Amino acid sequence: MFSKILDFFSPPYFQDEEQNRLARVLYIILITLFVAAVMSGIADSLAGSRTTGPALLVGCVLLLVVLWFTKKGRLQIASMLLLLIMTGLVTFLLSVGQGVHDIGMTLYPIIII
């Protein structure tokens, strides 16, 4: 069981070098976002937030789905799904937060880049 979990979170490897490079970049982005979302979701849930903590934890589950697509070699679907999830999650967090005055507003240019 533990080896399957480690295998799931291991970096993907493909025969095609271009696909392998794209998968590595996508993997680094996914793991970074996953760790950040888990830490923020737990911190917000412990702080008593009833909306942002659970939303971030749902975002973690969606990031795991994107990681699954990446491991299966469906990199275009994974990339588009990642952009949609990030845009939707940031939009939701800004709508329940401080809106355009929230620090999360800086994530929109990062998503575009």
Side-chain angles (χ1 to χ4, degrees):
M1 170 90 172
F2 189 67
S3 64
K4 287 185 180 184
I5 293 173
L6 284 178
D7 185 46
F8 183 74
F9 283 105
S10 66
Y13 179 76
F14 303 108
Q15 297 297 330
D16 183 24
E17 186 59 35
E18 181 66 29
Q19 192 176 18
N20 200 23
R21 185 175 31 245
L22 180 61
R24 277 185 279 162
V25 170
L26 192 59
Y27 174 78
I28 291 169
I29 291 170
L30 282 171
I31 293 300
T32 304
L33 287 174
F34 181 76
V35 169
V38 166
M39 291 173 37
S40 298
I42 291 172
D44 285 348
S45 293
L46 291 176
S49 174
R50 294 181 185 255
T51 55
T52 57
L56 286 170
L57 295 177
V58 167
C60 290
V61 172
L62 293 174
L63 288 174
L64 288 176
V65 170
V66 174
L67 182 61
W68 181 78
F69 276 117
T70 303
K71 298 286 279 190
K72 294 296 181 185
R74 307 296 301 238
L75 299 179
Q76 290 180 339
I77 293 173
S79 300
M80 291 299 172
L81 193 58
L82 178 63
L83 290 174
L84 288 173
I85 290 169
M86 288 304 300
T87 304
L89 189 61
V90 169
T91 302
F92 175 75
L93 293 175
L94 289 176
S95 69
V96 298
Q98 298 174 1
V100 295
H101 303 291
D102 198 347
I103 191 72
M105 191 68 175
T106 59
L107 291 175
Y108 278 127
I110 293 171
I111 293 171
I112 293 171
I113 290 172

